[in-house]
Each structure stands twice: as C-alpha cells, then as structure tokens.
Amino acid sequence: MFTFLALWAEEGRSIPLTCRILFFMLKTHQKQIVSSRAMRVMLEDVRDKLRLTLQKQKHDLGFNLAGLRVLGRRVRELGEGDYVDEWIWQDDAESIVNRGRKRSLSTIA
C-alpha cells in the first residue's frame, strides 16, 4: 500500500485523499511500522515525494493568488472614474437644494 501511496504522491493524484490514506495507515499499523526497518526507507520515500508535490501545489496556489490580487487591483482602478457625468451632478445638486426647503402648509381662507 505504501508503494501505491508513493506513486500517487509522485504523480500528484488526489493529494488530500492520499494524505488521508497515509495517516490512516500510520495510525492503524503504527506498531508494525515502527518494528520494521524496511518500512523506514519506504516511508521516507513517501514523505519526500509528498513534500515535493505539496511544495509545488503551494507555489502554484501562491502564484494564482498573486494573479488574482493583480486582477483585483486592475478592476478597482478601472471601476473608479475620473469624471462625473453631468446628469448625475445635476441630480445631486437638485436633491441638495430640495433638502434645504421646508414644507409649508397652505392656508385656505
């Protein structure tokens, strides 16, 4: 089983599942693994391959996050306008003027 785990780690196949299987195997068969010297070499191989694969995935994730940050900055820059449309300016000015006036009741006499 550890041979397959090493192959899956090297190929990058479903790393979360590979890690879950590895942890289950280590927890379940800890006494047999510790007592066997041959297993040490196999486990070191699995560890090295998993470490390389996880470092590669971490690098890819960091690269993707940096790209998303650049895109986010560009979207924010394009979203901010340096000009104001005239019709928006007029609507705002009218609403400010109308707010200053109080309602008055007309008297009917």
Side-chain angles (χ1 to χ4, degrees):
M1 187 67 182
F2 289 104
T3 306
F4 289 115
L5 290 173
L7 287 173
W8 294 340
E10 187 176 12
E11 293 173 0
R13 285 190 189 179
S14 185
I15 296 299
L17 179 61
T18 303
C19 290
R20 287 177 60 189
I21 293 170
L22 176 65
F23 293 146
F24 173 77
M25 294 293 289
L26 290 173
K27 285 180 185 178
T28 305
H29 303 288
Q30 180 183 6
K31 292 180 183 177
Q32 294 87 356
I33 291 170
V34 170
S35 65
S36 172
R37 291 185 183 257
M39 289 299 297
R40 180 176 179 177
V41 175
M42 178 143 326
L43 286 176
E44 287 177 351
D45 185 42
V46 172
R47 181 191 63 194
D48 294 339
K49 289 178 181 179
L50 264 177
R51 186 167 286 164
L52 286 174
T53 303
L54 289 173
Q55 285 175 346
K56 182 183 176 295
Q57 286 186 353
K58 182 179 175 184
H59 178 266
D60 291 347
L61 183 65
F63 184 79
N64 290 340
L65 283 174
L68 287 173
R69 286 186 189 119
V70 169
L71 286 175
R73 268 189 259 131
R74 185 172 290 169
V75 166
R76 280 194 302 272
E77 289 171 359
L78 293 176
E80 295 175 1
D82 293 337
Y83 64 92
V84 176
D85 288 335
E86 189 174 321
W87 61 275
I88 292 175
W89 182 259
Q90 288 174 354
D91 288 345
D92 288 343
E94 288 175 7
S95 66
I96 291 171
V97 170
N98 290 337
R99 271 192 249 146
R101 296 184 188 157
K102 291 184 177 179
R103 273 175 108 180
S104 63
L105 296 174
S106 59
T107 56
I108 302 175

